[in-house]
Amino acid sequence: MTKQQANWSPYDNNGGTCVAVAGTDYCVIAADTRMSSGYNILTRDYSKIIQLADKSVLASSGFQADVRALQKVLAAKHLQYQHQHNKQMSCPAMAQLLSNTLYYKRFFPYYAFNVLGGLDHEGKGCVFTYDAVGSYERVGYSSQGSGSTLITPFLDNQLKSPSPLLLPARDAVTPLSESEAIDLVKTCFASATERDIYTGDKLEILVLNASGLRREYMELRKD
Amino acid sequence: MFRNQYDTDVTTWSPAGRLFQVEYAMEAVKQGSAAIGLRSKSHVVLACVNKTSSELSSHQKKIFKVDDHIGVAIAGLTADGRVLSRYMRNECINYFYTYESQLPVGRLVVQLADKAQVCTQRSWKRPYGVGLLVGGLDESGAHLYYNCPSGNYFEYQAFAIGSRSQAAKTYLERKFESFVDSSRENLIKDALFALRETLQGEKLTSSVCTIAVVGIGEAFHILDQETVQELINEFEIAGEEAPVAEPAAPDQAGVAEPAAPDQAGGAEPAAAADDDNQAAPGDQGAAPMDM
């Protein structure tokens, strides 16, 4: 007698792609704004990005209900941190908190594929990339979501990432200027939109640097 | 209040229908250093006296930010106050998590009061030994509440608690009717005046007091020392002479008059200082959660 399978899943995949690139004194975090379910588009204008702290921005693709719940939990934890420490959380601290929060639900995970971007203690750009249960690593750039398989090889080629491809390990941040990095990210999404049906509509870009946070938008193909 | 056979634990009534342990807890509030709150239609100001146990130590924190829209000033056992502040902060965070909107002040004080009441009806607990002046803003306007160790709470236009608070209360009783439509600056000025009353002749400087403000469009924050000192100077509140009694107050106003020509000259800088004060809420000097 075969084992009974569930005929209902608590998860859904709303698609979409997230990218982040770390620079010497900036960080670019970008995601498309399409939200889908199956072959349907639910909305063309949904933000997957949230600013958790002064210097930490989280972009997450996957199941947006879980993403939203995760964002709320992190925001509440950050508020508690501020009450106790009298200051905002640093990006590396937020990175660890995100990891712990994800692992807390190891046996009923948040279906969220996260990229955390921001500035570290020295003001250099930092990007942390995660799996659904909290395994994370600091990298120079990362992509998650439905278009990540198309974008990551392209970024590997362009940014010559030291890890995990090259040894000895070199500085993680890219030598590109801020505007060059933004153009690169726009190119990534324009290309991914062509071939990934779940990526498109509009691109939301957040740039974090010493002067603060800046938001930019770019139209993408809507088919 | 003398020791008697009904005051050993909080679950024992006296024949007169009193719970002496609760009343003793309220005594603890009266022993703490003064805390004052006032509110207008759009702002709430909390002020407190910084008492140090010795010259070598720093003063205890008496004003806590609970959320962007709520702050609390305490008098009594500071440790109890800290614990209750943590409770209030968590309640605000949880409410926002569930409803994505700010916890109304009236709801928070009821929860706080119920929490205090529990401690008056358990033989293994003791009442909280701290009085809280909760000031905050919500959709129904600006509010100031006082929470007792007894579990009672009251809403006030202005109130003072702690040692020598009666002097401040007398001042506030005279002036409270003007608070509703008071400007932010005048409200702070009145808080400083009321605070000075509790000092009984001691010079009012920014190192002796702490002031916090919350208002429409202005998140709860504690004013930094320079701002407070500027305000004290601006309002010429330092007051070298002791405030003797109420009749003396008009005299003090008379004393202030000769200084008016100076003040008139100081009016323009004061107006400019007002702009600075408006900017104070967003000033970069304050830490993000300036406490």
Side-chain angles (χ1 to χ4, degrees):
Chain A
M1 166 152 179
T2 50
K3 190 174 173 183
Q4 193 180 26
Q5 297 275 7
N7 53 13
W8 173 86
S9 167
Y11 296 113
D12 189 14
N13 190 346
N14 300 121
T17 310
C18 304
V19 167
V21 176
T24 42
D25 60 351
Y26 65 88
C27 188
V28 178
I29 303 102
D32 70 322
T33 60
R34 173 176 288 178
M35 188 170 162
S36 354
S37 180
Y39 286 124
N40 302 310
I41 292 181
L42 298 176
T43 177
R44 297 187 189 276
D45 195 7
Y46 188 83
S47 174
K48 301 197 237 301
I49 308 182
I50 188 176
Q51 182 180 20
L52 293 171
D54 261 356
K55 303 199 170 131
S56 304
V57 173
L58 177 69
S60 327
S61 66
F63 181 37
Q64 289 302 319
D66 272 359
V67 166
R68 187 77 190 101
L70 178 63
Q71 290 173 348
K72 284 163 71 101
V73 168
L74 292 172
K77 294 256 182 73
H78 185 221
L79 207 46
Q80 285 182 320
Y81 181 97
Q82 286 179 82
H83 276 128
Q84 287 174 353
H85 297 81
N86 246 2
K87 63 177 184 129
Q88 300 245 337
M89 274 179 95
S90 66
C91 195
M94 186 63 80
Q96 186 65 52
L97 176 66
L98 174 54
S99 171
N100 294 345
T101 308
L102 291 170
Y103 197 81
Y104 195 74
K105 275 173 60 73
R106 169 68 178 80
F107 300 112
F108 184 10
Y110 289 106
Y111 195 131
F113 300 102
N114 303 292
V115 179
L116 183 73
L119 302 172
D120 65 11
H121 298 110
E122 298 160 12
K124 284 204 314 205
C126 57
V127 171
F128 299 89
T129 190
Y130 295 78
D131 72 0
V133 285
S135 163
Y136 81 109
E137 185 190 3
R138 181 171 177 176
V139 288
Y141 61 89
S142 175
S143 169
Q144 294 276 358
S146 57
S148 66
T149 47
L150 300 164
I151 292 178
T152 305
F154 176 61
L155 287 179
D156 286 342
N157 174 270
Q158 294 295 305
L159 298 178
K160 301 197 184 85
S161 165
S163 69
L165 297 179
L166 285 175
L167 291 171
R170 268 184 294 146
D171 193 17
V173 298
T174 176
L176 289 180
S177 76
E178 191 180 297
S179 48
E180 287 172 331
I182 294 173
D183 279 344
L184 180 65
V185 164
K186 288 179 177 174
T187 310
C188 286
F189 273 89
S191 304
T193 304
E194 291 293 308
R195 294 288 182 172
D196 175 25
I197 59 172
Y198 298 109
T199 303
D201 291 328
K202 203 165 66 178
L203 173 62
E204 182 181 14
I205 306 174
L206 266 70
V207 184
L208 207 52
N209 55 28
S211 16
L213 182 72
R214 198 178 82 243
R215 220 174 278 254
E216 239 182 88
Y217 292 94
M218 184 182 92
E219 291 296 315
L220 295 171
R221 280 185 68 161
K222 298 176 191 326
D223 61 359
Chain B
M1 213 179 291
F2 300 110
R3 278 230 71 196
N4 52 67
Q5 54 188 210
Y6 307 110
D7 69 354
T8 306
D9 64 55
V10 74
T11 50
T12 303
W13 289 100
S14 82
R18 296 161 68 170
L19 290 170
F20 280 105
Q21 280 295 310
V22 175
E23 296 187 21
Y24 295 165
M26 317 244 280
E27 276 301 306
V29 177
K30 295 181 199 165
Q31 301 301 324
S33 60
I36 293 165
L38 318 73
R39 76 166 158 133
S40 71
K41 225 168 11 206
S42 59
H43 287 80
V44 183
V45 176
L46 297 174
C48 70
V49 172
N50 298 339
K51 191 169 70 173
T52 51
S53 52
S54 84
E55 275 186 24
L56 297 169
S57 76
S58 61
H59 68 85
Q60 286 199 310
K61 198 157 129 171
K62 284 167 57 81
I63 298 188
F64 298 89
K65 175 169 179 168
V66 167
D67 202 345
D68 279 342
H69 67 300
I70 302 181
V72 63
I74 64 169
L77 265 53
T78 333
D80 284 3
R82 211 175 51 236
V83 159
L84 288 175
S85 301
R86 192 162 59 228
Y87 168 75
M88 292 163 79
R89 285 169 179 167
N90 280 331
E91 288 302 301
C92 287
I93 289 173
N94 290 334
Y95 186 93
F96 186 84
Y97 182 93
T98 310
Y99 299 102
E100 300 238 350
S101 80
Q102 312 244 317
L103 177 57
V105 192
R107 298 267 217 119
L108 179 61
V109 295
V110 174
Q111 284 174 256
L112 202 52
D114 288 349
K115 194 170 161 68
Q117 191 279 341
V118 168
C119 298
T120 68
Q121 210 173 5
R122 306 279 184 271
S123 60
W124 62 90
K125 285 182 179 259
R126 64 157 177 83
Y128 288 106
V130 64
L132 302 110
L133 281 172
V134 182
L137 239 62
D138 56 31
E139 282 179 356
S140 51
H143 299 278
L144 175 69
Y145 291 92
Y146 171 53
N147 278 71
C148 272
S150 59
N152 275 330
Y153 68 97
F154 309 93
E155 182 158 14
Y156 286 96
Q157 191 68 45
F159 200 50
I161 58 177
S163 71
R164 298 201 281 240
S165 57
Q166 187 52 52
K169 267 188 270 194
T170 316
Y171 174 86
L172 294 171
E173 275 165 24
R174 270 191 299 124
K175 304 232 26 215
F176 77 92
E177 270 148 348
S178 68
F179 291 163
V180 168
D181 295 309
S182 208
S183 73
R184 178 183 178 277
E185 282 60 45
N186 283 335
L187 208 62
I188 300 178
K189 180 175 85 169
D190 280 318
L192 287 165
F193 271 115
L195 208 57
R196 190 180 62 163
E197 300 293 312
T198 70
L199 292 172
Q200 305 285 39
E202 216 183 296
K203 192 167 152 95
L204 177 68
T205 63
S206 60
S207 54
V208 163
C209 63
T210 307
I211 314 279
V213 186
V214 61
I216 295 179
E218 186 181 350
F220 182 90
H221 65 290
I222 297 179
L223 304 183
D224 61 89
Q225 278 217 316
E226 294 99 61
T227 314
V228 176
Q229 192 56 51
E230 277 169 32
L231 287 163
I232 293 175
N233 298 336
E234 192 186 316
F235 299 130
E236 305 210 339
I237 300 175
E240 286 75 25
E241 58 219 74
V244 175
E246 274 57 53
D251 291 345
Q252 281 187 321
V255 165
E257 287 321 303
D262 295 336
Q263 231 175 0
E268 280 71 45
D274 274 352
D275 290 338
D276 292 338
N277 293 336
Q278 299 299 348
D283 65 12
Q284 295 79 358
M289 301 286 278
D290 184 26
M291 311 220 178

